Amino acid sequence: MDLSALQYALPALLTLVTGPHLLYLIFGVALGMVFGVLPAIGGLAGIALVLPFLFGMDPGPALAMMIGLAAVPATSDTFSSVLIGVPGGAGSAATVIDGFPMSKRGEAARALTAAFFSSLIGGLFGAFVLSFAFVVATPILMAIGFSEQLMLIILALTLVGMLTGRNLAKGLASCCLGLLIGSIGAATATGEQRFAFGTIYLMDGIPLVVVALGAFALPEIMDVLRKRQFIAGDAPLGHGWLQGFRDVIDNIWLVLRCSGVGAVMGMLPGMGGGVVGWVAYAHAVQTAKDKSQFGKGDVRGVIGPESANNAKDGGDLIPTLFLGVPSNGTMALFLVGLTVIGLQPGRAMVTQHQDIVYLIIWSLAIANILGTVISILLARPIAKVTAIPFMLVAPFILVAIFFSAYQSKSDWGDIISLLVVGVVGLFMKRFGWSRAGLLIGLVMSRNLEAALYRTAQVYGLELFLRPLALVILGIAALMLFVTIRAKTRVSSEGDASPELSMPTVNLQFGFLLVLIAFVVAVALDVSDNTFLAKVFPLSVAGLALIFLTIAGIGMVRRSKAPGLIFDADLSDDPETDGSKPLLPFMALMAALPLSIALLGFWLGSVVYMFLFLWLVARKSVLYSAINTALLGLFFYVMVDLINARFAPGLLQQLVDLPYPLG
């Protein structure tokens, strides 16, 4: 164990609490609070929105802001889970089971306090685990060569594909699709162009920020618009503020055990917050002497999941920072953020940037403290904010998403790609394809291709003689075997999903054919490249076709395999009751880039905002005009602060307008 890294701990803390770092951390925490209160959106969408603005920032403030944004939603998403019974995110779904019944009997304040205090302990526990892992990471990473790095990436992608989503074939296919999207542009080994269609925009590949916003942010916004009228609801807080603190103290060993569960599961790729929360809830039930009140408002059913969800953040950062392997979609975006500010995860992180690692650790700990304090102090006003109709919030977020995407390359291709990926993301979410697997595959694509070439050049066939590499490969094979057996057993027992109509199945099969067509198109395009340029995408395309074919055969045979034939709009989830048709909301989403194409980004988004509030949200002309004016003011501020660029439209080609109008 190398303890020399501890000398950087105190200087990193002093750096964080002085200068701009603390202000950026507070700003990140504030954003995280907002995105946590918005159900089903969370920190992933928040990080995706700020990524374009990280270019040119110093690493310290940028990391403080990202950590604050990523850590706090696991605390603030508790509001809607407890107050109205709507999970604020996947991690807080288990909290609803006992948190909402407590709210209904007038103990919302007790449930919230217990949740916030246990979240604080869990977050600090996760920061401690991350610190300990950093101390022991150096000797381990020094033993990892190119071949072991290759096997670790393969292991991570295998785990993500298997553990993300209910269906194995669809999960692994999603990873392969991400790998293929990541191979668009110049080949790693030769620089030859692949699937770029001769366009300048695609020569550098599709930006990760654009894919992240399209696959996650847009579908979540559209989903909330279709399925809920309000952000959450309006519920009284009741009583029991101090009792919630006492509940956590009385159950401190449960809090620590569930924190350990969250930290360990956070290290495993594909183990999302939803899985961690349910495992912690199950542990709380199994270890309780009196189980009679679980599901009826037992505070232990709140404490367990909440402590695990926040401890998971520390575990998530371990493979991301020290191996360059993101464990989920949020960490994939965090990895992108590290690249944007010029940091390379892995061995370089523990040997050259010890101060940065401790800055992250302290930021994680302080962010959890700030998130807890803010949540308690602002509980009453936040509870009132959750009653705001989402129709009033959605146009602001939609404009912000397209604005953020355009900052990637300042090219109209950013907006077109965002819209295309957004539509695909909508159907992936609805039909149960792994969007996290897609994003992680995209993030790991270049690393995997580069590791493959480096390993082949350095070791050749001796790769299979290196003990550690073989152990990692064996673990991947064993995990694949165990998962196939487990999911086959579940399939033989029958799928719990409801029987779907033939038109719905046909729609899913049509979407599958679109994915197959994309894979075939990539394979045909790269077939004329040299061997080194085409071997990686052709190999991935072959694997993708195998998994897609397996899924297709299952659909044709109407297989009962879990998650194979799945439609979120027709599931048994009560949240989907009363959800509106998808097509009008796709048109609503497409109306924004159409308005931008005609009028330019500044004027087009302002017009879109006004018409949305007036015609869709049915607000008065005065209300719509005031909020639209605020949006216009925001754009002017962005011009001065970050020299933001706005997409031009047809109007700019006809009339010479002053910037930012033109």
Side-chain angles (χ1 to χ4, degrees), residues 47 50-59 62-63 66 207-209 332-345 408:
I47 293 181
V50 302
L51 277 179
F53 309 113
L54 297 180
F55 291 96
M57 285 186 64
D58 291 335
L63 284 171
M66 284 196 294
L208 285 165
V209 175
L333 286 183
F334 185 80
L335 192 62
V336 175
L338 289 178
T339 305
V340 168
I341 59 180
L343 294 175
Q344 182 64 38
S408 298

Side-chain angles (χ1 to χ4, degrees), residues 344-389:
Q344 182 64 38
R347 184 182 300 182
M349 187 65 72
V350 299
T351 57
Q352 303 174 21
H353 301 293
Q354 295 95 331
D355 56 335
I356 291 293
V357 174
Y358 273 108
L359 183 66
I360 292 173
I361 294 171
W362 285 118
S363 297
L364 180 62
I366 295 176
N368 276 279
I369 295 173
L370 290 174
T372 301
V373 172
I374 293 173
S375 295
I376 293 175
L377 293 179
L378 301 182
R380 293 190 183 278
I382 289 176
K384 295 183 182 299
V385 167
T386 59
I388 297 176

Side-chain angles (χ1 to χ4, degrees), residues 279-548:
V279 171
Y281 184 84
H283 174 74
V285 175
Q286 291 169 355
T287 56
K289 293 182 179 179
D290 179 12
K291 302 177 175 62
S292 62
Q293 295 304 307
F294 280 97
K296 302 176 183 178
D298 194 315
V299 72
R300 292 171 295 181
V302 173
I303 290 172
E306 289 300 314
S307 56
N309 288 332
N310 280 59
K312 178 183 69 68
D313 294 331
D316 286 338
L317 285 166
I318 292 173
T320 304
L321 290 176
F322 306 145
L323 300 176
V325 176
S327 55
N328 53 47
T330 302
M331 287 298 103
L333 286 183
F334 185 80
L335 192 62
V336 175
L338 289 178
T339 305
V340 168
I341 59 180
L343 294 175
Q344 182 64 38
R347 184 182 300 182
M349 187 65 72
V350 299
T351 57
Q352 303 174 21
H353 301 293
Q354 295 95 331
D355 56 335
I356 291 293
V357 174
Y358 273 108
L359 183 66
I360 292 173
I361 294 171
W362 285 118
S363 297
L364 180 62
I366 295 176
N368 276 279
I369 295 173
L370 290 174
T372 301
V373 172
I374 293 173
S375 295
I376 293 175
L377 293 179
L378 301 182
R380 293 190 183 278
I382 289 176
K384 295 183 182 299
V385 167
T386 59
I388 297 176
F390 194 75
M391 279 288 183
L392 306 184
V393 180
F396 286 99
I397 300 179
L398 284 172
V399 170
I401 289 171
F402 278 89
F403 173 75
S404 296
Y406 187 75
Q407 307 311 308
S408 298
K409 291 185 179 181
S410 297
D411 190 293
W412 248 99
D414 292 326
I415 293 179
I416 296 173
S417 298
L418 175 65
L419 185 61
V420 172
V421 177
V423 172
V424 174
L426 278 169
F427 285 106
M428 290 186 74
K429 178 177 174 62
R430 177 176 173 179
F431 296 147
W433 294 81
S434 174
R435 292 173 297 150
L438 175 80
L439 184 60
I440 292 176
L442 172 61
V443 171
M444 301 303 296
S445 180
R446 294 289 174 173
N447 290 338
L448 178 58
E449 186 173 5
L452 182 64
Y453 293 145
R454 288 196 305 262
T455 302
Q457 292 172 351
V458 174
Y459 299 109
L461 294 179
E462 292 182 7
L463 160 68
F464 299 102
L465 299 178
R466 293 179 62 83
L468 185 55
L470 290 176
V471 168
I472 298 172
L473 184 61
I475 293 173
L478 178 62
M479 290 293 296
L480 183 61
F481 173 75
V482 170
T483 304
I484 291 175
R485 284 201 60 182
K487 296 200 174 186
T488 301
R489 185 178 300 114
V490 171
S491 176
S492 65
E493 296 173 356
D495 192 2
S497 300
E499 190 70 22
L500 302 180
S501 63
M502 184 58 70
T504 302
V505 176
N506 290 339
L507 186 60
Q508 296 189 44
F509 192 77
F511 180 67
L512 173 69
L513 291 179
V514 171
L515 298 180
I516 292 175
F518 168 73
V519 174
V520 171
V522 172
L524 291 176
D525 181 81
V526 303
S527 60
D528 293 332
N529 291 118
T530 61
F531 176 77
L532 286 179
K534 68 183 180 182
V535 61
F536 177 76
L538 282 180
S539 300
V540 174
L543 289 173
L545 287 176
I546 291 174
F547 298 132
L548 291 172

